[in-house]
Amino acid sequence: MSAETGIDQGRSAFQKHRWTEAYQTFREADKRGGLPAADLERLATAEILTGESTTGLETLTRSHEEYLVMGDAESAARCAGWMGMQLMFLGEQARAGGWFARGQRLVDELAEPSAVQGLLLVPMGLGKLYGGDPAGALQVFSRVAEFGQRFHDKDLSVLGLLGTGQATLMLGHPEKGLKMFDEVMVAVTAGELSPIPSGIIYCAVIGNCHLVFDLERALEWTAALDRWCRARPDMVSFSGQCQSHRAELFMLHGAWAEALMAAAAAQGLAVRGDPQALYGGYYQQGEVERLGGKLDDAEASYRQAARSGYEPQPGLALVWLARGDAQQAQAMIRRAAGAADLATRRNMLPALVEIELAASDVAAARRGFQELEALAHEYPMPMIRAVAGQADGAVRLADGDPSAALKPLREAWRLWQELGVPYEAARCEALAGSACRALGDEASALMYLEAAQASLLDLGAAPAATWAASLLHEGMLGSGATPGTAGLLTRRELEVLQLVATGKGNRAIAGELYLSEKTVARHISNIFLKLGLTSRAAATSYAYEHGLTT
């Protein structure tokens, strides 16, 4: 095959998004006779998309140099701009800055204005966006969009609109910002943009939807991103971020095993060439581990997520709360929320309210709820209404007003049910049970609490199930009944507890009850969860204290 034929085949494969075929064919043609600068640029894109970032950046450097030899300073500056962007995403800020400076120097030498001037404004806009100056970012990204429109550069126009939407969101105008994202996604899903800007936009839009609790939009665009990635099965870049978003949605919907698999896939793809997936892959893994009670594992996962440069909050603060250290959790969440931009702070508010209540600072919790209430008023989507209602009920309950707490808790429970978020729905049920008990309605309290505990046990949410069990115990002990006689344990679980209290191990218990050791282990795990226990010694003491031994 001649070099010319190989180039044509490489261009065809690139056009059809067959990235592996494109770079293999281009590489072979390059060995035979070299590639023109534009095809070197295509080869670099294919390499980057398949996870070969180092090689891709080397190829992009060659393309840049070839454009310089040709006297095409504008295209050379464009390559320099994208080199800087890729290096910035990889965390190599010094090298990125060098390439941006080179690109700017080339642009300054141009006789006429160019779209590349807009591209080189993007890092400035990102710096302001994540440096606490959303108003400044808004001005910069508006200029980026103007350059795109002026020079009919669709990629640049849409990247400018994306940044404008993000800045608008951070300035506290979610509805306006999300409408901009919808307009951005029209261009992406229509296939109007080149692949790297498309991937950047998909992942940025989904992440921002989660920031403002817009679960429906996040689900819709994650499904679109998943389809986009599946249509490009050899693509590594952005595929890891897609898996991170899938993990978050699985986690919210109670599919925790699937969430862990998606998180692991994201971590693998981060190593293979999608470094932006590092945070989400480990953070979502940490979330599932935390909710399941594996607190040391969760902390380790959050620390891995922190290697990305992003702070793993509010997850890490909630680990400290689950360990019983409300003061450390309070200090951590206050610092993180205080330093965050408005959109990120709002995302931390549900945890902040929970932690402030655990630390007995009802006034601080109320202030957190009021921020959520303002967001729900401005942007009344189901998830933010559920979050705000749950916080409202929890604060009112802690403030000694159970009657006023019940209405928002029931409404929040209904919304969580409709959204398919079982963990939060169960927590709302437990809070509603506490409110009913405070109002003297013990029968309704037990109904809510038993349902909440059953849901949390089904999920495997150990700490929350233990909390629900402790609330159940309060009512049972107050009525003079023991948890065992009140039916907290099944008949088989009671038999297993009685044998544990005699000092028998799992194998002996399995032999006596004609069960497998695995089944015995599962019964013991359920006993611990239901009774709020952490060891066999504690279970033995509990059995003797409550007259459950034979």
Side-chain angles (χ1 to χ4, degrees):
M1 180 175 64
S2 68
E4 186 175 336
T5 301
I7 291 172
D8 288 340
Q9 289 183 357
R11 290 171 181 169
S12 176
F14 187 91
Q15 186 68 28
K16 295 174 182 176
H17 308 147
R18 298 198 297 264
W19 311 122
T20 301
E21 180 185 341
Y23 81 66
Q24 287 175 342
T25 308
F26 275 136
R27 282 180 183 175
E28 186 61 31
D30 191 32
K31 290 177 184 176
R32 290 176 179 273
L35 290 175
D39 291 311
L40 283 170
E41 201 173 348
R42 293 186 183 97
L43 171 57
T45 298
E47 288 169 334
I48 290 167
L49 288 172
T50 52
E52 298 192 36
S53 296
T54 301
T55 305
L57 292 175
E58 291 172 356
T59 305
L60 193 56
T61 301
R62 288 179 57 201
S63 176
H64 165 80
E65 292 169 347
E66 186 66 25
Y67 279 128
L68 287 176
V69 170
M70 295 165 54
D72 187 347
E74 181 179 351
S75 296
R78 182 184 64 247
C79 288
W82 282 111
M83 278 286 292
M85 294 278 280
Q86 290 297 322
L87 289 165
M88 186 172 64
F89 294 147
L90 291 170
E92 298 187 38
Q93 302 303 327
R95 287 181 66 197
W99 278 101
F100 288 136
R102 175 177 285 194
Q104 189 61 55
R105 178 177 57 78
L106 290 169
V107 164
D108 290 343
E109 295 173 359
L110 294 176
E112 299 290 336
S114 163
V116 182
Q117 290 175 270
L119 177 63
L120 292 171
L121 287 173
V122 171
M124 181 192 300
L126 291 173
K128 291 182 180 295
L129 193 65
Y130 298 112
D133 183 12
L138 184 64
Q139 292 180 338
V140 173
F141 281 116
S142 296
R143 290 180 61 201
V144 172
E146 288 169 4
F147 271 106
Q149 292 162 6
R150 178 179 176 185
F151 294 99
H152 307 289
D153 187 321
K154 197 72 173 180
D155 286 348
L156 198 57
S157 296
V158 179
L159 285 171
L161 185 58
L162 170 70
T164 302
Q166 288 178 290
T168 301
L169 206 67
M170 288 185 177
L171 286 167
H173 306 294
E175 186 169 11
K176 186 177 179 182
L178 287 163
K179 285 181 179 177
M180 293 179 186
F181 292 154
D182 287 343
E183 184 179 349
V184 162
M185 293 305 296
V186 167
V188 176
T189 54
E192 297 174 2
L193 307 186
S194 51
I196 290 179
S198 293
I200 291 170
I201 289 164
Y202 262 123
C203 295
V205 166
I206 294 166
N208 280 278
C209 287
H210 281 295
L211 273 183
V212 293
F213 307 99
D214 195 333
L215 187 57
E216 294 175 349
R217 265 191 178 89
L219 182 60
E220 179 180 348
W221 295 131
T222 300
L225 173 59
D226 195 24
R227 289 192 297 271
W228 188 72
C229 291
R230 287 177 185 274
R232 299 155 177 81
D234 55 350
M235 184 172 68
V236 173
S237 292
F238 312 114
S239 294
Q241 294 168 73
C242 177
Q243 292 296 329
S244 297
H245 295 309
R246 293 179 76 242
E248 184 168 9
L249 291 172
F250 277 133
M251 189 274 294
L252 283 170
H253 291 148
W256 290 357
E258 291 84 352
L260 287 173
M261 287 190 289
Q267 294 164 23
L269 287 160
V271 172
R272 288 176 53 198
D274 189 8
Q276 296 295 304
L278 179 68
Y279 179 83
Y282 279 105
Y283 187 86
Q284 296 308 323
Q285 177 174 289
E287 289 289 271
V288 175
E289 290 165 341
R290 174 178 64 80
L291 295 179
K294 298 177 179 178
L295 302 182
D296 289 344
D297 291 344
E299 183 175 2
S301 293
Y302 291 138
R303 289 184 182 279
Q304 288 285 349
R307 291 170 49 217
S308 68
Y310 297 102
E311 193 167 12
Q313 295 293 1
L316 192 55
L318 290 170
V319 163
W320 284 96
L321 181 65
R323 286 173 171 157
D325 193 339
Q327 279 65 45
Q328 176 59 50
Q330 184 185 49
M332 193 175 280
I333 196 67
R334 283 182 173 181
R335 179 197 55 75
D341 61 77
L342 182 58
T344 304
R345 174 183 169 79
R346 283 172 165 175
N347 196 250
M348 294 183 189
L349 287 174
L352 184 143
V353 170
E354 180 181 354
I355 291 168
E356 295 289 9
L357 289 177
S360 301
D361 193 336
V362 178
R366 186 181 298 107
R367 289 193 295 272
F369 153 67
Q370 288 168 348
E371 290 186 59
L372 286 170
E373 184 181 41
L375 177 59
H377 179 73
E378 180 182 353
Y379 188 62
M381 294 296 289
M383 187 172 180
I384 185 55
R385 286 165 50 211
V387 166
Q390 185 171 343
D392 185 12
V395 170
R396 290 178 186 274
L397 191 58
D399 209 20
D401 193 355
S403 180
L406 265 178
K407 182 177 179 181
L409 287 172
R410 284 172 172 157
E411 176 65 9
W413 174 82
R414 182 187 67 78
L415 289 166
W416 286 127
Q417 288 282 89
E418 289 178 357
L419 288 166
V421 182
Y423 178 78
E424 297 299 343
R427 293 211 309 155
C428 277
E429 277 189 296
L431 290 170
S434 292
C436 287
R437 175 171 291 153
L439 292 167
D441 183 358
E442 187 62 24
S444 294
L446 290 176
M447 176 185 70
Y448 279 122
L449 290 168
E450 287 169 358
Q453 192 201 26
S455 296
L456 293 166
L457 284 170
D458 286 344
L459 283 169
T466 299
W467 166 63
S470 70
L471 295 177
L472 268 171
H473 295 176
E474 289 175 12
M476 292 169 180
L477 296 175
S479 66
T482 68
T485 58
L488 186 61
L489 301 182
T490 66
R491 180 183 60 81
R492 181 63 83 186
E493 288 166 352
L494 182 58
E495 291 173 341
V496 170
L497 176 60
Q498 290 168 340
L499 291 170
V500 167
T502 67
K504 291 183 177 179
N506 287 12
R507 179 174 294 181
I509 295 171
E512 186 159 336
L513 297 179
Y514 301 98
L515 300 172
S516 69
E517 287 188 58
K518 184 176 180 181
T519 298
V520 171
R522 188 176 71 249
H523 283 315
I524 291 174
S525 177
N526 285 342
I527 290 166
F528 286 1
L529 284 170
K530 288 183 177 182
L531 301 182
L533 306 173
T534 58
S535 69
R536 297 174 84 95
T540 299
S541 297
Y542 185 94
Y544 278 100
E545 288 170 4
H546 293 84
L548 300 178
T549 55
T550 55

